[in-house]
Amino acid sequence: MAQITFKQNPVTLLGKEVTVGDTAPNFTVLANDLSPVTLENSKGKTRLISVVPSLDTGTCDAQTRKFNESAAELGEDVVILTISNDLPFAQKRWCAAAGIDSVQTLSDHRDLSFGEAYGVAIKELRLLARAIFVVDSNDKVTYVEYVSEATEHPDYEQAIAAVKAAQK
């Protein structure tokens, strides 16, 4: 299992670690209008799944803005999902204030379906660990980054390159 720290303190991740080559696990999270969203909702597209502890923090804010800006260069066959345990209402408010319009924010607060399926649920905090997953149009995981310190940034360039490679 991936070794993660949060503010330099080791944390316990719940669920199964996902690796490159795996079939992407399905999950059920909530959209900002409380409707359920699963991996199946974006079937046939390349998915960049950006996982953040909370949109209301500097690093998570920057990560979501970065992928929102990158959306235009990635094209219409790519769906960018940002998943956190923030309440759907808070996500909607944050997106409106931040001008986020190319990333779909989704909440895993209800039952940690995503967090446990992808091995990013932090037991001690009931937050999600920072991670990036790229899933191709055939539901195969082509890129994984579990960020070892949850307060640090992921490798944005590698994630974008992985999305582009998954489209070929």
Side-chain angles (χ1 to χ4, degrees):
M1 193 67 171
Q3 300 297 307
I4 303 291
T5 58
F6 190 91
K7 296 184 178 179
Q8 306 306 315
N9 296 306
V11 294
T12 307
L13 297 180
L14 302 175
K16 180 182 179 293
E17 183 174 356
V18 172
T19 60
V20 171
D22 287 351
T23 297
N26 203 7
F27 54 84
T28 301
V29 291
L30 298 176
N32 294 167
D33 64 1
L34 301 180
S35 63
V37 175
T38 68
L39 186 67
E40 296 296 312
N41 288 106
S42 55
K43 189 151 186 72
K45 299 209 179 238
T46 299
R47 278 70 49 107
L48 187 154
I49 304 173
S50 172
V51 187
V52 299
S54 176
L55 291 170
D56 252 346
T57 65
T59 306
C60 300
D61 177 293
Q63 180 173 328
T64 305
R65 288 175 190 268
K66 173 68 175 170
F67 289 130
N68 190 65
E69 292 168 9
S70 299
E73 75 180 81
L74 297 175
E76 293 180 16
D77 289 332
V78 174
V79 174
I80 302 174
L81 309 174
T82 294
I83 302 177
S84 73
N85 278 358
D86 295 308
L87 293 174
F89 315 111
Q91 290 179 338
K92 183 176 183 178
R93 190 172 48 252
W94 181 87
C95 286
I100 301 299
D101 56 4
S102 298
V103 168
Q104 184 178 10
T105 56
L106 301 166
S107 176
D108 198 27
H109 86 95
R110 188 174 60 188
D111 32 61
L112 295 177
S113 172
F114 177 85
E116 290 182 0
Y118 285 73
V120 293
I122 300 174
K123 178 181 178 181
E124 295 84 354
L125 303 171
R126 197 172 167 81
L127 295 174
L128 300 181
R130 188 175 316 282
I132 305 291
F133 302 94
V134 175
V135 178
D136 72 12
S137 60
N138 297 311
D139 295 341
K140 289 292 180 200
V141 177
T142 63
Y143 177 82
V144 173
E145 180 185 7
Y146 288 90
V147 180
S148 61
E149 167 52 50
T151 61
E152 294 180 2
H153 291 271
D155 188 331
Y156 298 113
E157 290 73 28
Q158 286 281 43
I160 297 298
V163 170
K164 291 177 178 176
Q167 292 178 284
K168 295 179 182 176

